[in-house]
């Protein structure tokens, strides 16, 4: 296959992972061991643009510009859920407000941008029941007609019937703040690694 100077990305032999491929890795990362096999841990560190030329040609400064001239940043996926670039599909309402992962990186609707946590209002509102004006019955309490007053007596009779409390009028109840530290689905930890050479 012929190559031209206009091709921005290095060719990858058939059967090899494409440079820039990110994959989950289900073990503790031994950085030296995986680098020998063509992989780097996605921890956001700066790398030399010349020493890792193939990877730089693919991802450039999408994930951070390094020192601005001789280095660039790896993606830093520690603690992140990964999300597909919206690319104008309209599924991410906050695509335009996404920020760069590191100085010199890409923001907005671009690969490499990041987004903080958020909780949208539910599509179906939470409400409490509104019972309107009402009273509650209290059973077996003495009322004014339970017993005629007798001098020196402090006795009363417990009625078989009930008496109502004062009316509260129409009202609602407030739902107070609560919840957890973040909104998340069930999840499992992996380490993300990136292919840096064929």
């Amino acid at each position: 296959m012929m190559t031209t100077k206009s091709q921005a990305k290095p060719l990858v032999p058939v059967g090899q992972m494409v440079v820039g491929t990110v994959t989950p890795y289900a073990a503790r990362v031994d950085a030296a061991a995986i680098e020998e096999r063509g992989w780097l841990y996605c921890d956001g560190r700066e790398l030399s643009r010349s020493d890792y030329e193939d990877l730089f040609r693919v991802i450039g400064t999408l994930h951070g510009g390094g020192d601005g001239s001789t280095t660039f940043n790896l993606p830093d996926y520690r603690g992140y859920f990964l999300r597909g670039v919206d690319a104008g599909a309209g599924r991410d309402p906050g695509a335009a407000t996404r920020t760069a992962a590191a100085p010199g990186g890409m923001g907005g609707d671009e690969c490499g941008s990041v987004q903080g946590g958020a909780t949208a209002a539910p599509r179906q509102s939470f409400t409490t029941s509104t019972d309107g004006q009402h009273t509650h019955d209290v059973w077996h309490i003495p009322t004014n007609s339970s017993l005629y007053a007798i001098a020196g007596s402090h006795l009363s009779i417990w009625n078989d019937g009930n008496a109502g409390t004062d009316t509260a009028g129409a009202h609602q109840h407030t739902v107070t703040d609560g919840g957890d530290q973040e909104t998340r689905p069930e999840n499992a930890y992996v380490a993300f690694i990136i292919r840096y050479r064929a």
Side-chain angles (χ1 to χ4, degrees), residues 14 46 54 59 87 94 113 124 130 134 179 192 198:
V14 174
E46 289 185 30
D54 285 352
I59 69 170
S113 66
Q124 180 67 37
T130 304
H134 65 280
F192 287 105

Side-chain angles (χ1 to χ4, degrees), residues 2 21 37 60 93 119 131 149 197:
M2 294 185 60
T21 297
R37 291 164 176 80
T119 304
D131 295 327
R197 62 170 168 78

Side-chain angles (χ1 to χ4, degrees), residues 77-161:
Y77 293 147
R78 295 171 295 176
Y80 274 112
F81 291 99
L82 302 188
R83 181 175 191 171
V85 176
D86 190 73
R91 296 188 182 102
D92 180 2
T97 62
R98 296 174 66 87
T99 59
M106 293 300 295
D109 192 5
E110 292 285 349
C111 187
S113 66
V114 295
Q115 190 175 50
T119 304
R123 294 181 181 179
Q124 180 67 37
S125 298
F126 291 117
T127 59
T128 59
S129 60
T130 304
D131 295 327
Q133 184 168 328
H134 65 280
T135 61
H136 297 276
D137 291 332
V138 182
W139 288 83
H140 306 300
I141 63 171
T143 64
N144 289 339
S145 61
S146 296
L147 189 67
Y148 291 108
I150 299 174
S153 175
H154 300 284
L155 300 176
S156 61
I157 295 174
W158 298 100
N159 292 319
D160 289 334

Side-chain angles (χ1 to χ4, degrees), residues 8 26 30 49 70 93 108 110 165 176 182:
D30 180 335
R49 298 184 185 189
T70 64
E110 292 285 349
T165 61
T176 58
E182 63 178 353

Side-chain angles (χ1 to χ4, degrees), residues 38-57:
W39 298 89
L40 296 167
Y41 181 39
C42 294
D43 59 3
R45 68 194 144 145
E46 289 185 30
L47 296 176
S48 165
R49 298 184 185 189
S50 57
D51 291 346
Y52 297 88
E53 181 180 4
D54 285 352
L55 181 60
F56 179 66
R57 287 175 61 194

